[in-house]
Amino acid sequence: MTNALKIFGFTILVSLFYSYVGQMVPQKITYPPEDTEMSADMTTDELVAVGQELVEGKGTCLSCHTLGESGSALRFPDLGGIGAAAATRRDGMDDVAYLAESLYEPNVFIVEGFSPGMPAVSKPPIALTDDEIMAVIAYLQSLGGTPSVTMQTEHAWLGQGASAEAAAPASTPAAALASMSAEELFETYLCATCHSLDGTPGAGPSLQGVGERLSRPEIYEALIAPDATVAEGYAPGVMKAMLDGSGFYTKVSAGDVQKLVDWLAEQ
């Protein structure tokens, strides 16, 4: 009886200790991207402010781009000074046209020294609207240049942005998935069908130790543009077909993608 009481008391103390430690460790919570409030009468300065929020948040731009001295994820060109460089990158294109093309059709022109693979921000899972992309253009213009766009500015890609309904987290299937953990998303989108986490061979490369082999930008690219870099010994097109079949590209939010990237980077 005495031993049983001692064991019971020890169990309670251990439980209390780990509960205390758990409360002391900072908890990281990933939220889905918030809807962006836009209006037709926004000033250029207001567009710049919204554009910065989108670049740093919903647009996930800084997952793969550095910004001058800020960041280390140089998967794609540095954005520092892009406002001045944009007008000189392509013959016959002013800064607005170049920046618009880079956002709507990013793989049409590749800056020397870099590889294709950047996803179009107008399509899922990022799914920025034309108005949101205009705000991003304004912000990019401000990086070393003079922002000039307004909500009335025209360019050749207008009308190709995501619809407001598709871009709003509250009205897409992604909202229902926002409370899922990265592990649950991994199972929901059938990733475990091809990829193991314990080194077991499968139809796709094992993800055991993937965080040591790939950087966060490379993991992000593997999810958004899986055919940009295909592991040796595996066929292109298979992973994209699987993700298409599971509804990944139509349902997943930018927040979900970041959640998966962070989780895989820890493997």
Side-chain angles (χ1 to χ4, degrees):
M1 182 68 177
T2 302
N3 286 338
L5 288 173
K6 287 181 178 179
I7 292 172
F8 177 74
F10 177 74
T11 302
I12 294 296
L13 287 173
V14 170
S15 299
L16 289 172
F17 171 75
Y18 281 107
S19 176
Y20 169 76
V21 171
Q23 293 297 320
M24 294 298 292
V25 176
Q27 301 298 307
K28 181 181 179 181
I29 302 174
T30 303
Y31 296 98
E34 296 181 358
D35 199 9
T36 306
E37 294 294 333
M38 307 287 293
S39 62
D41 60 351
M42 291 180 71
T43 66
T44 299
D45 287 344
E46 289 171 335
L47 283 173
V48 169
V50 171
Q52 181 175 359
E53 292 178 3
L54 289 165
V55 164
E56 295 174 352
K58 181 180 177 182
T60 69
C61 307
L62 301 187
S63 293
C64 297
H65 293 275
T66 49
L67 188 56
E69 298 294 324
S70 175
S72 58
L74 191 53
R75 176 67 182 85
F76 297 126
D78 177 50
L79 296 179
I82 186 62
T88 63
R89 282 272 170 87
R90 299 198 66 185
D91 291 341
M93 276 193 170
D94 62 14
D95 57 340
V96 175
Y98 174 77
L99 292 171
E101 181 186 70
S102 297
L103 294 165
Y104 286 92
E105 299 183 275
N107 296 302
V108 169
F109 174 79
I110 306 299
V111 175
E112 186 177 356
F114 294 89
S115 301
M118 174 179 160
V121 302
S122 56
K123 298 177 180 178
I126 300 173
L128 298 188
T129 65
D130 285 329
D131 289 348
E132 289 174 328
I133 292 174
M134 194 68 77
V136 171
I137 291 173
Y139 174 62
L140 294 177
Q141 283 184 310
S142 76
L143 301 177
T146 302
S148 62
V149 297
T150 68
M151 293 292 276
Q152 287 71 48
T153 297
E154 296 185 356
H155 57 69
W157 293 266
L158 280 177
Q160 298 182 29
S163 66
E165 290 76 17
S171 60
T172 67
L177 302 172
S179 61
M180 284 189 179
S181 66
E183 294 94 328
E184 290 171 326
L185 290 167
F186 188 82
E187 294 294 333
T188 296
Y189 291 116
L190 307 178
C191 306
T193 302
C194 298
H195 301 280
S196 72
L197 295 169
D198 60 3
T200 303
S206 168
L207 297 179
Q208 185 180 46
V210 66
E212 296 177 349
R213 301 193 305 272
L214 301 179
S215 66
R216 275 180 164 78
E218 288 170 331
I219 294 172
Y220 178 86
E221 179 185 74
L223 290 169
I224 301 303
D227 289 334
T229 303
V230 180
E232 185 176 356
Y234 294 92
V238 177
M239 179 171 169
K240 186 176 187 305
M242 289 291 290
L243 291 175
D244 280 335
S246 68
F248 181 87
Y249 292 114
T250 57
K251 296 177 183 177
V252 73
S253 71
D256 288 336
V257 173
Q258 193 61 57
K259 196 185 299 184
L260 280 167
V261 170
D262 290 342
W263 179 67
L264 290 170
E266 294 171 0
Q267 303 302 313

